[in-house]
Amino acid sequence: SALRLVGRCASLAASVGEPQTAAHILLPVAQANIPPRDRAAIYDTIISFAYAAGDRELAYSSLRERFMLGMALGDDARSLQELELGMLEASVQQGVHPTTAIAPLMAILADKLAGSETRTRAGLRLLIIADMLLDEPLAYMTRDQLQRLDAPSTSGSLHRQAQLVWETVFGDQEYALAIVTELLRDNPEPSLSQSVIGARHYAAFSLSRMGLRELAKPVLLADYDFMVKHHVASEALYTLTLLAENAIAEGNHIEAARFLKDAAVALERGEPHTHFTERSFLLATANLALLENRLSDADHAIGMVRRCALTATTTRIHAVELASALRIASARGAAMEDDDQVEVLREQL
């Protein structure tokens, strides 16, 4: 049938490393007038391809459609909860303010009827939000809930990723380094598998945050080359931005400029990316310009951060933005005009 033929075409595209193409091949079929259960199955496949392609926007819209189909079809509560969790994750990545996700994520984490992997995913996202908001009480509350969970082999890697975020940001960084070593030992090469992407993503994040940038660099470069080859634009852009931030911190302006140039080209092409990757790119651009005494360029980049179409911000990003603005003002010998914003940030902290 035509449906099977389209499915084979999509599977072929995915098998040669083109998951985004595969997802878009299936999308018109999912939107066609076919039985609801068939539509649900197609949306399940699209969601898996969208995740593999790093296309959060497509993942969110497909998850939403699949959730509504699941409600109409009477899917079980656990399946619906997993779809809800996916929507919460994707919405935060796409710019919805993370505070709106805290209560539903905490409800999933505390739900004893939910699967261990689902609850761990919710806890991992809450720890990331706690870092974004510089919210230590939320981090401790989440850590305490995670410690009460059993950690079966099916969610072992997720548990280690959650532990890694906790130890890197709020806990013992020596233990964090041990977890990084374990994750990279178990995931030595890049892959389109979500578990491998997550493990290597958090390992590179942890090494970078701890200042071990030379250890992070080969992981990031390998991931970048792989993601470019397989057209996973959002992961490639995230990796480029982190490489640029690390190069700036190491004082390697030439390398930072090269990474940012490649990222700018991808953004100009309209490649899929998250809200926070875009903000991080603009802040890195501002900081490089400031270090090179290009104050007008730095001002322009900070202005673009503030005019970003997706306006949701977090305490951490707001702090970095204000710090950059303060440094620009100081370099010009001018007074900071954002005293009211600094006071708001002080109250948040």
Side-chain angles (χ1 to χ4, degrees):
S1 70
L3 183 59
R4 284 197 294 270
L5 178 61
V6 172
R8 283 199 295 271
C9 290
S11 297
L12 178 61
S15 70
V16 297
E18 296 284 353
Q20 188 170 40
T21 300
H24 283 281
I25 288 173
L26 290 175
L27 195 57
V29 181
Q31 296 167 342
N33 186 21
I34 59 176
R37 185 56 68 184
D38 289 341
R39 289 184 66 210
I42 292 169
Y43 269 118
D44 286 337
T45 305
I46 291 172
I47 290 163
S48 68
F49 288 156
Y51 276 139
D55 191 336
R56 272 77 172 185
E57 185 175 353
L58 178 59
Y60 178 78
S61 61
S62 300
L63 282 161
R64 186 181 60 227
E65 292 293 332
R66 180 63 181 85
F67 182 83
M68 290 189 292
L69 278 168
M71 292 284 287
L73 291 166
D75 285 355
D76 63 88
R78 182 172 287 194
S79 297
L80 292 173
Q81 188 178 61
E82 290 176 359
L83 292 167
E84 179 191 10
L85 174 56
M87 287 190 291
L88 288 168
E89 291 171 327
S91 66
V92 171
Q93 291 170 327
Q94 286 305 111
V96 173
H97 201 281
T99 55
T100 63
I102 292 174
L105 286 170
M106 191 59 75
I108 293 172
L109 175 58
D111 184 356
K112 294 181 180 179
L113 297 179
S116 178
E117 182 170 348
T118 300
R119 295 175 71 185
T120 303
R121 275 176 59 196
L124 174 58
R125 186 57 50 184
L126 282 164
L127 288 173
I128 294 167
I129 289 173
D131 179 39
M132 294 162 68
L133 299 176
L134 304 179
D135 189 338
E136 196 171 77
L138 174 61
Y140 273 91
M141 188 185 312
T142 302
R143 191 276 309 264
D144 290 345
Q145 286 279 1
L146 284 169
Q147 286 181 333
R148 299 189 185 107
L149 291 180
D150 294 327
S153 58
T154 54
S155 60
S157 179
L158 275 174
H159 272 274
R160 285 184 293 166
Q161 291 169 36
Q163 286 177 330
L164 180 57
V165 174
W166 162 263
E167 299 295 352
T168 300
V169 180
F170 303 100
D172 181 346
Q173 292 194 344
E174 288 188 10
Y175 185 40
L177 182 56
I179 298 173
V180 166
T181 302
E182 185 181 353
L183 285 173
L184 292 178
R185 182 199 66 206
D186 293 346
N187 303 276
E189 300 293 335
S191 165
L192 291 178
S193 160
Q194 287 301 297
S195 63
V196 175
I197 290 173
R200 292 177 63 86
H201 176 110
Y202 290 113
F205 153 81
S206 176
L207 290 170
S208 301
R209 180 67 70 85
M210 293 188 294
L212 302 173
R213 302 179 190 93
E214 285 304 310
L215 295 179
K217 189 173 182 178
V219 178
L220 290 167
L221 288 173
D223 286 355
Y224 174 69
D225 289 341
F226 180 86
M227 296 304 168
V228 167
K229 180 180 178 182
H230 291 86
H231 306 289
V232 186
S234 65
E235 288 295 332
L237 268 168
Y238 164 81
T239 303
L240 273 176
T241 302
L242 190 50
L243 282 164
E245 290 174 346
N246 287 350
I248 290 169
E250 294 291 325
N252 191 336
H253 298 182
I254 293 175
E255 191 168 65
R258 177 165 57 84
F259 291 137
L260 289 173
K261 180 180 178 181
D262 290 345
V265 170
L267 287 168
E268 288 169 4
R269 285 200 303 262
E271 300 283 12
H273 59 278
T274 70
H275 165 68
F276 296 104
T277 295
E278 182 177 359
R279 286 243 171 151
S280 296
F281 163 78
L282 290 169
L283 289 169
T285 299
N287 286 331
L288 179 61
L290 179 60
L291 289 171
E292 295 178 344
N293 204 34
R294 294 183 284 110
L295 301 185
S296 294
D297 291 342
D299 256 340
H300 177 70
I302 290 295
M304 291 204 46
V305 172
R306 294 176 174 176
R307 292 191 300 272
C308 191
L310 294 169
T311 56
T313 191
T314 67
T315 308
R316 177 174 290 282
I317 289 180
H318 194 199
V320 174
E321 173 197 322
L322 284 177
S324 298
L326 282 165
R327 291 169 64 200
I328 294 169
S330 176
R332 285 193 163 132
M336 179 67 181
E337 296 179 357
D338 288 331
D339 288 340
D340 55 335
Q341 294 189 47
V342 174
E343 186 58 35
V344 168
L345 182 60
R346 185 180 291 113
E347 290 174 2
Q348 292 174 345
L349 296 174

